[in-house]
Amino acid sequence: MINQIKSKQISHAYLFCGSHGTGKTSIAKIFAMALNCESNNDGEPCNKCHQCLNTKNKSNINIIEIDAASNNSVDNIRDLCEEIKYPPVDNSRYKIYIIDEIHMLSSGAFNALLKTLEEPPKYIVFILATTEYKKIPTTIISRCQRYDFKKICDKDIFVSLKNICEQEEIIIDYDALEYISEINNGSLRDAISVLDRCSNLYRNKRINLKDILDFLSVLDFETCDRFINELENKNLSSALEIIDSFIDSGKDSGDFIYSLIFYLYKSIKKDINNKNDIEFKSNILENFVKLDSKLKYLINKRLALDLLIIDLCE
Ligand SMILES: [Zn+2]
């Protein structure tokens, strides 16, 4: 994309595909800023010119962000097609539409958009973003330049978070930061959000793993380990006691199940060569994942959890 800006060969429509939190809309905004930047010699926005500053302040009227989830009708798109007839103002080069969740458009709306995509005015750039690429008609896809956004690995998330901590002077233990990097399913945005909220909550103190676990309402690894041992030894009452004290501290069954799933997953990955141990843990993990998938339909979640534990201790 940087090369396109450098060589001034701009496509009139881009499609950014990728799962939640992979940075599609953030990149779309930076790309839009670079397109209109008054001095982007190297293809990147200068962050200083009139256009860049306006974009940063969210007052650039030539960059229009639309959420297709709530503007998905034919009429919405027809209005947009009327709007694009007016060229950009304020000496801006392009008028850029960033449309998020584009797969949510109705089929009529897609048809209306298609006509516009076929022959848009030369000052128009569409950046369409989606988490569900397969729901977009091929006629639309064929008119866009497609970019795929991939989830990033935990290690890269860790490095990004570490940089943020250094810049923002957030003091946090290594294992606490590692935990945040691993629980967000490859979404840097979610990981940053956890770090951000924790650093606000624990301002002026060194953040440790226990702070993070408390903040996320999850069980610490030591207790998870003890719980699994109780199950292995069929100590039903001790296992139930651990659940009791967790729930008594103001958390719920869902938090407990989530904690165990994450702990078991990590522990299986770490202990991949210990066959006996893995078999036992995989069986429990499978049962917890099954219960987790049913959880939102259950009225008495605690009862369902207890019944599972009774079953596993038999
Ligand atoms: Zn600029």
Side-chain angles (χ1 to χ4, degrees), residues 117-163:
L117 284 183
E118 275 165 355
E119 245 179 297
K122 61 180 189 317
Y123 50 78
I124 291 288
V125 175
F126 283 105
I127 306 175
L128 314 176
T130 182
T131 48
E132 292 185 57
Y133 167 70
K134 288 190 177 131
K135 289 188 182 162
I136 300 172
T138 46
T139 43
I140 297 276
I141 297 171
S142 66
R143 280 169 180 80
C144 300
Q145 224 175 80
R146 178 181 159 184
Y147 287 91
D148 290 317
F149 287 65
K150 298 205 164 46
K151 286 193 170 181
I152 49 178
C153 70
D154 296 346
K155 253 190 198 153
D156 290 341
I157 293 184
F158 182 86
V159 172
S160 302
L161 295 185
K162 199 164 163 274
N163 287 336

Side-chain angles (χ1 to χ4, degrees), residues 228-239:
I228 298 298
N229 274 332
E230 303 297 5
L231 290 189
E232 202 165 7
N233 298 321
K234 315 258 180 225
N235 285 334
L236 178 62
S237 61
S238 313

Side-chain angles (χ1 to χ4, degrees), residues 33-34 36-40 44-53:
M33 193 150 122
N36 274 342
C37 175
E38 290 157 4
S39 56
N40 62 347
E44 292 192 38
C46 73
N47 282 306
K48 288 176 201 142
C49 70
H50 172 69
Q51 294 293 338
C52 281
L53 290 177

